[in-house]
Amino acid sequence: MSAVTDAAPVAVPKGILGQSVRDSLVIAQRNLIRMSRIPEMLIFGLIQPIMFVVLFSYVFGGSMNIGGSTDPSTYREFLMAGIFAQTVTFATAGAGAGIADDMHKGLIDRFRSLPMARGAVLTGRTLADLVQTALTLFVLAVVALLVGWRTHTNVGEVLGAFALLLLTGYAFTWIGALIGLSVRTPEAATSGGLIWLFPITFVSNAFVDSSRMTPWLRHVADWNPFSATVQACRQLFGNPGLSPSDAWPMQHPVWASLIYSVLIILVFRTLAVRKYRSATA
């Protein structure tokens, strides 16, 4: 609790909104301090996406046909948007486990006894996870460059792609928060967080061209929020894309990704805050 009570006050406007912002930043600072004291959390979080980059690039790269090309370098550029998106969404499981752990240890009850905004505990936690995700993305981008990934657009579009990835990751973190509040143990939160993530990420255009799927499965993949972010990033990176699709999210992936992410945040933040209030009542 020392990280919470000793944190330097943040200057924000007075009032309900100001208190909510200040409390959220204090909780975020507490979680960042905690993460810095457990560096293996970040290290282990980097190992899996790096393994995916290397394995998919060199094991499957030569056997994938992307836009009529089987050149491994073409697949690497096609792949990286999917790996980036998978990385930010898989952080959801860790967020859920962290919240479940705080619940299990009674830390949430301690926060609830303090005069602080009810949604600040969850908002602060998700903001801290967003910072960790940004660091992971940076390291992963460096690894991608080392294996041959390149962008073919300007700096603004590349930064816009990474901003979309972080927004999507933040949105999915609220789903993890709801799961973490709904289970009894961190182990259950981790399992529950991964069960739904695998179909979301693999029934998509992340690793293969969805045009090669059966018609009904391609329809599901094209309207998958995860697919919209992947396609938007490929477009903004200037990397090889998919075969033409009539699905609106694939025609306007940037807008689709933004709309999906905002809707997910609105819906699941509301549900998570309600669950937090009832779970700690």
Side-chain angles (χ1 to χ4, degrees), residues 1 6 17 27 57 84 97 113 118 138 146 168 178 181 197 205 216 251 254 258 263 265 271-273:
M1 289 294 295
D6 297 341
L17 179 60
I27 296 297
S57 296
F84 289 145
S113 68
R118 286 289 182 247
F138 175 77
L146 292 176
T168 299
L178 181 60
L181 292 168
L197 279 173
N205 59 19
W216 70 269
Q251 295 288 331
V254 175
L258 286 171
L263 286 177
I265 292 172
L271 294 175
V273 171

Side-chain angles (χ1 to χ4, degrees), residues 3-276:
V4 176
T5 56
D6 297 341
V10 181
V12 296
K14 295 182 178 180
I16 296 177
L17 179 60
Q19 180 186 359
S20 179
V21 172
R22 179 184 182 278
D23 293 343
S24 298
L25 292 177
V26 169
I27 296 297
Q29 184 178 8
R30 173 255 175 190
N31 281 284
L32 289 173
I33 292 173
R34 180 186 180 188
M35 291 175 185
S36 68
R37 292 174 178 172
I38 313 176
E40 55 266 29
M41 290 176 60
L42 181 60
I43 294 172
F44 291 153
L46 284 170
I47 291 175
Q48 180 178 321
I50 290 175
M51 287 177 61
F52 269 105
V53 171
V54 176
L55 290 175
F56 274 81
S57 296
Y58 292 103
V59 176
F60 300 112
S63 59
M64 293 292 184
N65 188 322
I66 303 298
S69 173
T70 57
D71 185 350
S73 62
T74 301
Y75 182 67
R76 288 187 197 114
E77 293 194 353
F78 174 86
L79 170 70
M80 284 316 305
I83 295 291
F84 289 145
Q86 184 193 52
T87 300
V88 300
T89 53
F90 268 49
T92 299
I99 291 174
D101 186 51
D102 287 345
M103 289 281 292
H104 185 67
K105 292 178 178 178
L107 187 60
I108 296 293
D109 290 331
R110 299 181 195 178
F111 283 133
R112 188 172 180 272
S113 68
L114 299 174
M116 61 190 304
R118 286 289 182 247
V121 173
L122 300 180
T123 302
R125 173 74 204 203
T126 55
L127 288 175
D129 289 329
L130 181 64
V131 173
Q132 183 178 3
T133 300
L135 292 173
T136 303
L137 267 182
F138 175 77
V139 175
L140 192 58
V142 173
V143 174
L145 290 171
L146 292 176
V147 300
W149 172 66
R150 296 292 184 268
T151 60
H152 306 284
T153 53
N154 58 52
V155 175
E157 289 177 301
V158 172
L159 292 177
F162 282 110
L164 272 182
L165 287 166
L166 291 175
L167 179 62
T168 299
Y170 183 69
F172 276 68
T173 299
W174 281 106
I175 302 177
L178 181 60
I179 293 174
L181 292 168
S182 303
V183 298
R184 297 182 180 180
T185 64
E187 293 79 8
T190 301
S191 299
L194 291 175
I195 287 174
W196 65 274
L197 279 173
F198 277 102
I200 285 288
T201 54
F202 284 95
V203 184
S204 71
N205 59 19
F207 308 112
V208 297
D209 191 334
S210 58
S211 65
R212 298 179 178 275
M213 300 178 182
T214 58
W216 70 269
L217 195 60
R218 181 185 185 181
H219 186 73
V220 173
D222 286 348
W223 285 88
N224 184 345
F226 182 81
S227 294
T229 298
V230 173
Q231 181 68 358
C233 289
R234 287 187 182 125
Q235 186 179 96
L236 292 171
F237 288 146
N239 290 159
L242 304 171
S243 300
S245 170
D246 293 333
W248 186 84
M250 297 299 98
Q251 295 288 331
H252 309 278
V254 175
W255 280 108
S257 179
L258 286 171
I259 292 170
Y260 278 136
S261 295
V262 170
L263 286 177
I264 291 172
I265 292 172
L266 290 175
V267 172
F268 283 92
R269 186 185 188 281
T270 300
L271 294 175
V273 171
R274 286 182 181 177
K275 185 67 177 179
Y276 168 80

